[in-house]
Amino acid sequence: MQPIKSHIDPRSETFQSNYAENLAGIEKLRGELKKSTAGGGEQYVKRHIARGKLLPRERIEMLLDEGSYFLEIAPLAGWGMENEFIGAGTIGGIGLVSGRMCFIIANEATVKGGAVSEIGQRKNARLAEIVAINHLPSITLVESAGADLPVQHKIFVPGGAGFKEITRRSKARIPSISVVFGNSTAGGAYLPGMSDYVVMIKRQAQVFLGGPPLVKMATGEIVDEESLGGAEMHSRISGLSDYLAEDELDGLRIAREIIDHLRPPPLPSRATVEDPIYSRDELLGIASADIRVPFDVREVIARIVDGSKFEEFKPKYGTTLVTGWARIHGLMVGILGNNGVLISEAANKGAQFIQLCNQQDIPLLFLQNITGFMVGRTYEEQGIIRNGAKLINAVSNSTVPAITLMIGGSYGAGNYAMCGRAYDPRFVFTWPNHRIAVMGGQQLAGVMDIIKREAAARSGITIDEEKQALAKKILETQIEKESDPYFATARLWDDGIIDPRETRTILAIALMAIHQRPFQGTMEWGVFRH
Ligand code: COA
C-alpha cells in the first residue's frame, strides 16, 4: 500500500481561514462539553458531595483502568431542549475495566435525583443498542429516581423496553452488572432486577417497588427505607443483591472483579500500528468550515489511517466517491468518502466496493460530505435513481459493521446512501463543521417559494411579495437552525460531535468495539436494479 501524496498548502488563505473557523468550532464544543459535566447545578452537586458520595463521573473514573480512555456517547443529548439538561441525566461510554472493553452507564444523580427524562430515555435506548450490537459487557452505576414523573406520558410505555433488552442481552451472553449507589425505585428496581450481577453499597443502596410513603398508603404498613430495600436486606434476605459492598470504592472494586472472570472476546487480526505521516492538526485547515466549499477526502484519509497508506479502488471511475482499503491502529477497514455530488458511476462503484468488503469480512467507514445525488434531466435519463438505489441496497443489506463520520454536509438521499443513522451504522460521529438536512436552508426555502407561487397562480391569487419574502427568510433561518450539529446531536441523530484531531483515536476505539463480537459479511442482497 502506498502513502497518499498530500497536496495541501498550509500557508494558503483557504487553509488558514478553515483552520481559524474550525478551531473556533472546537472551542465552542469544549465549552458545551464542559457544561455537560456540571450535573444538575452547584446546589445539587454540593449536596451530593456533602452526603459523602462520589459524583457519577468520579465513579466512572475509579471504575476504569488507570490511564484508560473513555469514549463518551451522546454527551450533548438534550442540548438546548425544553425540560432537559445537557447530557440528559445519563453518562454513557466505552472504556477499559480490568483490561476488558466495557460499556459504562451512570445515572447523573444530581439531575432531578437521576430521574429519566424523555431524551434520557432515548439516550438509554441508544446506549443499550451499542452494548447489544457490539457484545460489550455493561456496568450500570445506578442512582435514579426512576421516571421523570411530570413527563411520564412521554416515557412510560416505550421505557419498558430497557428492561426487556437487559435480559435479552443476558440470553445472548452479553453480561450486565448493576452497582447500586442510591435510590432505585419502582420501574428503576428492575434495573438491578434484570441484571446478571448486582452489587449494592451498604447504607446507600435502596431498591424497592414502592417507597415507605407508598407502602403506607397502599397497605397501611409502616416501614423504614433501610428495612424495606436497603443493601443489607437485599444481600442477606431477599437475594436481589449478589454482593454487599462496604462503600462506593468497594462496590467498584467488586465490579472490576466480576469483569475479570468473564470469558475474553475474540481477538481481531491486527497489523503493526503505524502513525499517519501527516499531522492530524492539518485536518482543521482541510475541512471546509463553509460546507459549500468542496475538499479532497483523500487529504482526510491521509491523516487518519496507518502510515497514510490507502489502496484506492477504481480511482479513475466514478470519481465523486473515493473507495479503498486502509488500516486504523492496525485494523483493516474499507473506506467510502465523498468527493462531490453522487453520480451514477460513483453509486455503482460504491455498491461494488461494499460487496467486496462483505466478501472479505472487512468493516466499512463512511466519510460523509455529501450534498446528495445529482439532479437534472441528463442524470435522470442515465438512471441516477436506479443506480442510487443500488448503493442504498448494498448499504442496507451489508452485514459487516459500519462506522459513519460526518465531515461536512449530509444532505438528501446522500445521507441514506452513505449510511446515515437510519441505516444502522454501529457508530455515527460528526465534526463541528457538519450540517444535516433534507437540503440547505436557502434551497429548501427556494423550493417552497416556487411551490407557493405556482399554487397561487393556479388559484388566480396575487402574491404579497413582502409577506412572501418574509416567510421565505423565516423558513430559511429555521432550516439553518435545524441543520446545526448541536440541534442534531441533542436529538441523538449521532453519537457525538468530536474534535477532528481526535478522529483517528475515536475510530480506533470504535473499531475495537466492533471487533468484540465476531461478524461475517453477506453475499445475499436485494434485487439490484441494473
Ligand atoms: N421525576 C422528576 N423529578 C424528580 C423525581 C422524579 N421521579 N424525583 C426527584 N425529582 C426532583 C425533585 O423534585 C427535586 O427537584 P427540586 O429540587 O426542583 O424540587 C430534585 O429532583 C431532587 O430531588 P430530592 O428529593 O431533593 O433529591 P434527594 O437526593 O434527596 O432524593 C430520591 C432522591 C430519588 C430519593 C427522591 O427524589 C425520590 O424519592 N424521588 C421519587 C422516586 C420515585 O418514587 N420514583 C418513581 C419512579 S416510577
Side-chain angles (χ1 to χ4, degrees):
M1 259 192 239
Q2 289 302 310
I4 292 172
K5 189 158 171 28
S6 177
H7 296 286
I8 58 146
D9 175 7
R11 284 155 308 180
S12 72
E13 205 179 302
T14 317
F15 186 98
Q16 295 289 333
S17 74
N18 280 338
Y19 194 96
E21 274 197 61
N22 284 323
L23 201 61
I26 292 167
E27 282 307 314
K28 175 178 170 162
L29 177 64
R30 282 207 188 122
E32 299 306 324
L33 288 173
K34 188 148 191 278
K35 284 185 211 161
S36 79
T37 63
E42 209 182 331
Q43 173 199 347
Y44 296 100
V45 170
K46 268 190 179 159
R47 191 175 69 169
H48 188 86
I49 296 170
R51 287 170 173 172
K53 290 178 172 183
L54 290 172
L55 290 166
R57 284 180 189 274
E58 291 173 332
R59 288 172 184 159
I60 293 173
E61 214 173 303
M62 301 289 189
L63 176 64
L64 290 171
D65 290 352
E66 212 177 324
S68 164
Y69 51 79
F70 184 59
L71 173 57
E72 196 172 340
I73 300 295
L76 301 180
W79 182 94
M81 295 177 77
E82 206 182 329
N83 194 44
E84 296 289 348
F85 282 72
I86 304 181
T90 303
I91 305 159
I94 299 172
L96 294 173
V97 177
S98 299
R100 172 78 184 260
M101 191 175 244
C102 291
F103 202 96
I104 300 158
I105 300 167
N107 301 127
E108 183 47 276
T110 65
V111 174
K112 298 186 193 178
V116 181
S117 65
E118 182 188 6
I119 294 293
Q121 189 231 303
R122 275 171 49 197
K123 178 167 169 177
N124 282 337
R126 172 62 189 148
L127 303 183
E129 203 173 76
I130 294 175
V131 169
I133 194 87
N134 298 298
H135 279 201
L136 294 168
S138 66
I139 306 166
T140 306
L141 311 181
V142 184
E143 182 160 19
S144 167
D148 186 341
L149 292 172
V151 294
Q152 60 83 30
H153 68 286
K154 292 184 178 169
I155 52 179
F156 172 54
V157 174
F163 310 120
K164 172 187 77 183
E165 292 306 328
I166 301 174
T167 185
R168 286 198 173 161
R169 293 205 301 268
S170 177
K171 182 176 146 190
R173 298 181 176 214
I174 310 164
S176 58
I177 302 170
S178 276
V179 186
V180 189
F181 290 87
N183 199 272
S184 184
T185 311
Y190 288 100
L191 211 54
M194 304 308 293
S195 295
D196 292 330
Y197 302 89
V198 177
V199 184
M200 288 197 191
I201 316 292
K202 242 185 203 174
R203 294 177 294 276
Q204 279 190 211
Q206 283 173 359
V207 183
F208 25 64
L209 286 182
L214 178 66
V215 172
K216 187 177 173 196
M217 230 170 57
T219 66
E221 185 185 15
I222 295 173
V223 59
D224 65 274
E225 285 170 337
E226 211 37 47
S227 319
L228 188 64
E232 294 265 2
M233 190 285 286
H234 281 307
S235 302
R236 297 181 198 282
I237 305 173
S238 83
L240 174 63
S241 165
D242 307 309
Y243 303 84
L244 178 63
E246 285 302 316
D247 54 28
E248 295 207 10
L249 290 181
D250 192 41
L252 296 169
R253 178 193 62 78
I254 294 169
R256 290 177 55 80
E257 271 189 14
I258 296 170
I259 294 294
D260 205 36
H261 79 240
L262 302 180
R263 74 198 156 99
L267 268 185
S269 120
R270 235 177 130 176
T272 315
V273 179
E274 281 179 77
D275 284 336
I277 58 177
Y278 304 107
S279 160
R280 60 185 181 151
D281 194 51
E282 289 172 345
L283 288 169
L284 303 190
I286 291 163
S288 292
D290 177 353
I291 48 114
R292 287 168 300 188
V293 181
F295 58 94
D296 190 350
V297 73
R298 290 183 195 86
E299 298 288 358
V300 173
I301 297 170
R303 284 156 185 85
I304 59 175
V305 303
D306 289 7
S308 304
K309 290 175 190 162
F310 185 52
E311 185 203 333
E312 190 164 346
F313 174 70
K314 272 193 157 99
K316 307 269 183 243
Y317 182 83
T319 52
T320 58
L321 184 69
V322 173
T323 52
W325 292 275
R327 289 183 186 272
I328 296 177
H329 278 248
L331 296 165
M332 181 63 77
V333 65
I335 302 176
L336 298 95
N338 300 116
N339 248 8
V341 65
L342 278 167
I343 54 171
S344 285
E345 293 84 348
N348 287 338
K349 170 168 123 179
Q352 184 188 358
F353 182 73
I354 290 171
Q355 286 190 303
L356 291 175
C357 289
N358 272 267
Q359 188 200 48
Q360 295 303 314
D361 301 333
I362 298 173
L364 301 169
L365 170 62
F366 289 85
L367 300 176
Q368 273 205 19
N369 180 18
I370 178 72
T371 45
F373 282 92
M374 191 61 125
V375 295
R377 181 170 165 183
T378 312
Y379 298 97
E380 293 289 0
E381 283 178 357
Q382 284 171 354
I384 187 77
I385 299 173
R386 179 170 55 76
N387 292 312
K390 232 178 279 177
L391 180 53
I392 297 177
N393 177 342
V395 170
S396 307
N397 290 303
S398 164
T399 56
V400 289
I403 300 171
T404 301
L405 175 67
M406 300 187 174
I407 60 172
S410 176
Y411 290 106
N415 170 285
Y416 304 159
M418 290 296 289
C419 204
R421 176 63 109 198
Y423 287 76
D424 300 327
R426 295 269 183 107
F427 295 94
V428 185
F429 296 106
T430 71
W431 283 359
N433 59 333
H434 152 255
R435 297 288 180 278
I436 184 166
V438 165
M439 60 180 89
Q442 219 178 353
Q443 291 83 346
L444 193 145
V447 169
M448 286 310 296
D449 186 62
I450 294 169
I451 293 171
K452 280 190 186 142
R453 282 177 194 282
E454 285 177 353
R458 274 197 304 274
S459 327
I461 299 168
T462 319
I463 290 259
D464 177 338
E465 287 300 336
E466 212 171 301
K467 264 194 186 162
Q468 180 81 354
L470 184 66
K472 193 175 164 193
K473 192 71 214 152
I474 289 172
L475 184 59
E476 187 182 328
T477 311
Q478 178 205 321
I479 300 301
E480 287 306 332
K481 188 179 148 225
E482 292 169 359
S483 311
D484 185 81
Y486 289 91
F487 185 93
T489 206
R491 288 159 181 77
L492 293 144
W493 294 354
D494 54 64
D495 296 318
I497 308 173
I498 62 169
D499 179 340
R501 296 169 299 185
E502 288 171 10
T503 300
R504 177 173 157 78
T505 308
I506 288 170
L507 290 178
I509 299 169
L511 274 171
M512 272 312 282
I514 278 170
H515 280 283
Q516 300 296 296
R517 166 193 182 181
F519 56 82
Q520 209 175 16
T522 184
M523 295 307 285
E524 289 176 23
W525 310 88
V527 174
F528 279 113
R529 186 174 285 282
H530 292 293

